[in-house]
């Protein structure tokens, strides 16, 4: 079956540090890949997405590249801010069939950024 | 601001109560979803409606009863819940379930406590 594995957290960084959160996946078919972010007390927000190999998703300074050869979709940001403190979920969705956009989530990574 | 609105934000109910969670979106999306999220865990899919018809029920107990009165509204009726059903219940919508992996837009959730 489909699965997503994220690096275990929590991750604690100082402001302006470089961030990497690793994500690898296994999937039947051709998945689309997503990063969602959940701020305290809120629902999930789509951060970025990529729908095919070598696509790069980017938003708010975050980037992730769809690497089919390594089945990875690592999240990176060059300089984190305190406001980036949240839980980050990597997810995939397999196109077509009866999946109806069903998302398979990783376990989530808690990021805390200190001033 | 989220474009998926959920009410109420918080709900406390006894095990003999009947209550309903409501979700509304006005983005013209044709797929709507209910997810359950326990603390520090990823969301778990419960139900999917596509074009106002129930298309996925992830073996959810019958004490949870979904309803989709029209393409903009999604309800979750609750009856005879157990304390372990306490969680954050998230509603989501997407343009069209399944075929093109359109991303899900989440509401901020209803925090449910069963006493």
């Amino acid at each position: 079956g489909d699965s997503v594995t994220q690096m275990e957290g929590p991750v604690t960084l100082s402001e302006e540090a470089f961030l990497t959160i690793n994500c690898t996946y296994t999937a039947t078919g051709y998945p689309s890949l997503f990063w969602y972010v959940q701020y305290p007390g809120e629902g999930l927000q789509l951060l970025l997405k990529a729908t095919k190999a070598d696509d790069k998703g980017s938003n708010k300074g975050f980037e992730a590249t769809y690497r089919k050869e390594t089945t990875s979709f690592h999240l990176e940001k060059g300089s984190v801010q305190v406001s980036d403190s949240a839980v980050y979920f990597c997810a995939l969705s397999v196109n077509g069939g009866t999946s109806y956009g069903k998302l398979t989530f990783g376990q989530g990574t808690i990021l805390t950024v200190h001033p | 601001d989220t474009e998926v609105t959920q009410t109420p934000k918080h709900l406390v109910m006894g095990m003999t109560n009947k209550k309903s969670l409501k979700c509304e979106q006005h983005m013209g999306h044709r797929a709507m979803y209910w997810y359950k999220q326990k603390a520090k865990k990823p969301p778990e899919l419960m139900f999917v409606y596509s074009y106002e018809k129930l298309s996925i029920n992830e073996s959810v107990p019958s004490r949870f009863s979904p309803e989709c009165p029209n393409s903009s509204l999604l309800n979750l009726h609750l009856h005879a819940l157990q304390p372990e059903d306490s969680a954050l219940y998230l509603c989501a919508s997407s343009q069209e379930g399944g075929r093109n992996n359109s991303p899900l837009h989440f509401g901020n959730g209803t925090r449910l406590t069963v006493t």
Side-chain angles (χ1 to χ4, degrees):
Chain A
D2 302 335
S3 67
V4 176
T5 302
Q6 285 181 238
M7 65 183 287
E8 291 190 14
V11 175
T12 302
L13 296 173
S14 297
E15 206 165 25
E16 299 184 4
F18 184 84
L19 168 71
T20 299
I21 301 178
N22 290 339
C23 171
T24 57
Y25 67 90
T26 58
T28 55
Y30 303 95
S32 291
L33 302 174
F34 307 88
W35 277 100
Y36 281 86
V37 59
Q38 187 172 30
Y39 298 102
E42 297 185 8
L44 278 70
Q45 298 177 24
L46 177 67
L47 183 58
L48 51 84
K49 68 173 182 177
T51 57
K52 61 183 187 296
D54 300 325
D55 269 0
K56 177 186 281 189
S58 61
N59 185 27
K60 299 181 181 180
F62 291 89
E63 293 183 340
T65 301
Y66 189 143
R67 301 286 188 199
K68 188 177 180 181
E69 63 276 13
T70 55
T71 62
S72 64
F73 192 55
H74 305 320
L75 182 68
E76 297 182 336
K77 186 175 185 182
S79 176
V80 293
Q81 305 300 312
V82 173
S83 57
D84 293 326
S85 298
V87 183
Y88 291 81
F89 291 98
C90 184
L92 68 81
S93 179
V94 178
N95 193 29
T98 58
S99 64
Y100 287 94
K102 180 178 177 178
L103 286 174
T104 299
F105 286 97
Q107 288 302 303
T109 300
I110 299 172
L111 171 66
T112 303
V113 180
H114 292 296
Chain B
D1 289 339
T2 180
E3 296 174 344
V4 177
T5 304
Q6 291 188 243
T7 56
K9 291 185 178 180
H10 301 275
L11 179 62
V12 179
M13 62 184 290
M15 289 188 285
T16 59
N17 291 157
K18 288 185 180 180
K19 296 286 185 182
S20 297
L21 309 185
K22 297 186 183 299
C23 174
E24 188 170 5
Q25 59 88 13
H26 293 290
M27 294 178 281
H29 289 176
R30 302 314 302 267
M32 296 187 77
Y33 310 75
W34 280 115
Y35 280 82
K36 174 183 177 179
Q37 186 180 24
K38 302 285 273 186
K40 301 184 187 299
K41 296 291 186 182
E44 299 173 5
L45 183 65
M46 301 175 71
F47 302 103
V48 181
Y49 274 82
S50 182
Y51 292 89
E52 301 162 46
K53 293 184 179 178
L54 183 65
S55 56
I56 293 180
N57 176 341
E58 292 285 285
S59 302
V60 179
S62 60
R63 57 185 184 268
F64 295 91
S65 176
E67 178 195 20
C68 189
N70 60 55
S71 60
S72 300
L73 295 174
L74 185 67
N75 299 322
L76 185 63
H77 303 298
L78 314 173
H79 174 54
L81 294 194
Q82 303 297 311
E84 59 264 29
D85 296 322
S86 299
L88 180 67
Y89 287 84
L90 293 165
C91 175
S93 68
S94 66
Q95 269 188 327
E96 185 178 346
R99 292 177 196 160
N100 59 6
N101 286 320
S102 51
L104 272 62
H105 296 252
F106 285 85
N108 282 334
T110 294
R111 177 79 57 191
L112 174 67
T113 303
V114 182
T115 61

